[in-house]
């Protein structure tokens, strides 16, 4: 009986170590597309609030929000798809629709009034949803969330990002840039 117990204990120990080490390999460094997304033109998604100006048309100039379905409800022309489009693409689309029976030569400009939020979780002082600011890094976002806890891994974080409709997660350095809509997870350090 005493010979069997050490073998069972050894087998359970090996299984536990394999599971623990297997957990370390589930997160890999960020893929190439992950980093390229930070230098691409800004694409719109749900939660962005836009300031749309139609030159010489005060009744159309206003602040509009991209809804959950990815559309902007615009007067006269109705729902305009915005998700995945740049500001220039959306302004061209709105101008084209306004030109179809409403305005002769509409001049439409769009600015982002408020970017969609970033989400910060894990080992930070105050996890939650925070406003995104262009040029924000992971370190800036963590500072806004109350800084690191005493147990935090202060070198690398996991960032989940939506790229071309696909959700990717990658591990990046705290000096790395983030984009609107990112979710940052600060892990506990091992030692």
């Amino acid at each position: 009986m005493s010979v069997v117990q050490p073998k069972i204990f050894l087998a359970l120990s090996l299984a536990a170590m394999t599971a623990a080490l297997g957990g370390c390999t589930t997160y890999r460094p960020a893929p190439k597309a992950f980093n390229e997304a930070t230098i691409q033109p800004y694409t719109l998604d749900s939660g962005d609030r836009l300031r749309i100006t139609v030159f010489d048309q005060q009744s159309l100039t206003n602040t509009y929000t991209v809804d959950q379905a990815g559309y902007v409800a615009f007067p006269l022309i109705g729902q305009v798809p915005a998700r995945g489009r740049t500001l220039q693409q959306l302004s061209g689309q709105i101008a084209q629709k306004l030109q179809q029976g409403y305005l002769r030569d509409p001049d439409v400009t769009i600015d982002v009034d408020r970017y969609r939020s970033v989400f910060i979780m894990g080992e930070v002082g105050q996890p939650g949803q925070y406003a995104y600011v262009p040029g924000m890094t992971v370190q800036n976002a963590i500072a806004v969330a109350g800084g690191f806890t005493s147990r935090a891994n202060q070198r690398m974080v996991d960032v989940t990002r939506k790229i071309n409709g696909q959700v990717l997660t990658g591990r990046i350095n705290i000096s790395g840039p983030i984009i609107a809509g990112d979710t940052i997870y600060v892990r506990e350090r091992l030692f």
Side-chain angles (χ1 to χ4, degrees), residues 124-138:
V124 292
Q126 299 171 338
Q129 175 179 344
Y130 293 93
Y132 171 78
V133 178
M136 193 175 234
T137 65
V138 171

Side-chain angles (χ1 to χ4, degrees), residues 3-176:
V3 173
V4 174
Q5 285 180 340
K7 287 183 179 180
I8 292 174
F9 179 74
L10 181 63
L12 290 175
S13 297
L14 284 173
M17 286 179 12
T18 304
L21 291 175
C24 292
T25 61
T26 57
Y27 285 94
R28 296 185 178 97
K32 187 177 180 184
F34 196 86
N35 294 323
E36 289 175 354
T38 62
I39 58 171
Q40 298 299 320
Y42 185 74
T43 56
L44 300 168
D45 207 343
S46 300
D48 286 326
R49 188 168 66 195
L50 310 173
R51 176 79 180 155
I52 302 178
T53 306
V54 182
F55 180 72
D56 213 19
Q57 298 294 321
Q58 292 301 320
S59 61
L60 298 177
T61 298
N62 206 343
T63 305
Y64 301 90
T65 302
V66 180
D67 66 17
Q68 284 299 104
Y71 290 86
V72 172
F74 200 80
L76 302 177
I77 58 175
Q79 299 284 72
V80 181
R83 178 175 285 142
R85 290 183 168 73
T86 64
L87 297 174
Q88 292 77 20
Q89 291 170 334
L90 183 61
S91 65
Q93 189 174 9
I94 290 172
Q96 181 183 23
K97 288 187 176 211
L98 285 172
Q99 204 167 12
Q100 298 172 354
Y102 299 105
L103 300 173
R104 185 171 299 184
D105 191 22
D107 183 11
V108 179
T109 58
I110 303 176
D111 296 308
V112 179
D113 186 54
R114 185 187 72 217
Y115 292 89
R116 58 191 177 274
S117 301
V118 294
F119 302 89
I120 307 166
M121 306 182 322
E123 296 296 325
V124 292
Q126 299 171 338
Q129 175 179 344
Y130 293 93
Y132 171 78
V133 178
M136 193 175 234
T137 65
V138 171
Q139 193 169 20
N140 300 141
I142 290 169
V144 170
F148 292 110
T149 66
S150 60
R151 296 181 308 270
N153 177 348
Q154 297 184 18
R155 292 181 22 203
M156 302 291 277
V157 298
D158 296 327
V159 175
T160 302
R161 179 174 294 159
K162 188 175 181 183
I163 303 170
N164 299 325
Q166 186 178 11
V167 178
L168 300 174
T169 299
R171 187 163 285 165
I172 64 172
N173 192 302
I174 64 164
S175 63

